[in-house]
Amino acid sequence: MASLQSLRGMVDLLPEQLGLWQHVEVTAREQFRRSAIREIRTPLLEVTELFARGIGEATDVVGKEMYTFFDRGERSCTLRPEGTASVVRAAIQHGLLSQGPQRLWYGGPMFRYERPQAGRQRQFHQIGVELLGFADACSDVEAIAVAWDLLAELGVGGLELELNSLGSAEDRARYREQLVAWLEQHRAELDADSQDRIHSNPLRVLDSKHPGTQALLAEAPSLASALSDASQSRFAEVQQALTALGIPYVLNPRLVRGLDYYSHTAFEITSSQLGAQATVCGGGRYDGLVQQLGGPATPAIGWALGMERLVLLLSQLKRPAAVASALDLYVVSRGEAAATQALALARRCRQAGLAVERDASGAAFGKQFKRADRSGARWAAVIGEQEAIDGVVALKDLRADGGEPADRRLSPEGLLEALGAALPRP
């Protein structure tokens, strides 16, 4: 019988790989705590209509990439392909917006059926921030600063912020007419995907990765020229605030979002350390989404970063401190009486706040000490037949040099006292 394998693009995260993941998660959680951004958790499975309305039926995500099926109640359900729509749905459903502006973050798996590659899988993970009910330009910059500072604290280098303004709904409607007319004039020179988008999603043509289309678009009408005075003034405020915070940026007039509810600020943070897959974090203002999903008119801005791509980048930096073992004590024992005492000792040390692993193999001490060395623990507690009889524990420093002192024989209370002094807990 053939062995069972995971589905293509659905990747197991093994214990030895999770050090960096946990480092990112802990750092992000602390960054959000400092920024008064609270966590929200939404279901992995939602009604399909949420994403059809929230992402747009004309997008590739909805049209080609979603995991959608009918459940036993004949309801069309979809595994979430992104986090924003679910967060907005939850805020509307539970009346959060009536309680004032909301500063929320989320994390977890998302699902898209696309070709797997390095840093991109069919089940992938995101961390994202949504600021609901904030309309001012400084809120745009605050959202960007939270993402920028998180990446900087993680040690990501070569960061660059790309920035653009999508203007108001009226600006985009005016620009759309100009762009569609120009694209129609050059239809024969566009790639097939861009031809299909001329009327369904023309702004996404600007985001085309086709080299010929990109070269042609250098002559296309500019969105910046369609911005009203008010939109230009707002965009200038964003740039001035970024400068005041010391966050460098470059203007990218081709950075767009294809859906009508997006407005004003759009941004991406890239890293030169990622090669072709440069984007680490992307976001923008989406003032029309809450109302489009059935809520009150609510300004909002948010962003998301991809965990796989970020972890891939951090793993290339080879920062051992990020993946260091958090284990304090490794308990070694031989014999039935010793095993029982080792179990009690491990539990007592854990209750005192220490991270403890107990070797349950009963193998020779030499083999157990090899595993203790590999565990990354600083100390080993050894209980053999004589220690079991005497009711003591031998404490061994696994990181001492060749001139190490003899193992100390201590009572369980003495061991806790010694470790408490050597390994102060927060």
Side-chain angles (χ1 to χ4, degrees), residues 2 8 14 21 39 96 104 115 127 139 141 159 205 275 312 324 330 355 364 380 384 393 408 410:
R8 185 168 185 244
L14 304 179
W21 284 76
E39 184 179 9
L96 299 185
L104 305 171
R115 184 172 64 86
I127 291 177
S139 292
V141 176
L159 292 178
V205 177
L312 177 64
Y330 193 95
V393 180
R408 288 181 285 170
L410 304 166

Side-chain angles (χ1 to χ4, degrees), residues 136-138 141 230-242:
D136 61 305
C138 282
V141 176
S231 294
Q232 292 181 33
S233 176
R234 189 186 192 285
F235 193 37
E237 283 186 60
V238 170
Q239 295 174 67
Q240 290 164 8
L242 286 168

Side-chain angles (χ1 to χ4, degrees), residues 172-187 190 194-195 197-206 217 220-221:
R172 284 194 315 285
R174 185 165 53 250
Y175 175 65
R176 181 187 174 111
E177 289 182 9
Q178 299 172 11
L179 181 61
V180 168
W182 187 89
L183 292 172
E184 282 290 6
Q185 291 175 8
H186 297 83
R187 173 184 283 272
L190 298 170
S194 295
Q195 290 177 0
R197 288 172 172 158
I198 289 177
H199 293 283
S200 64
N201 206 341
L203 265 65
R204 287 300 308 278
V205 177
L206 301 177
L217 289 170

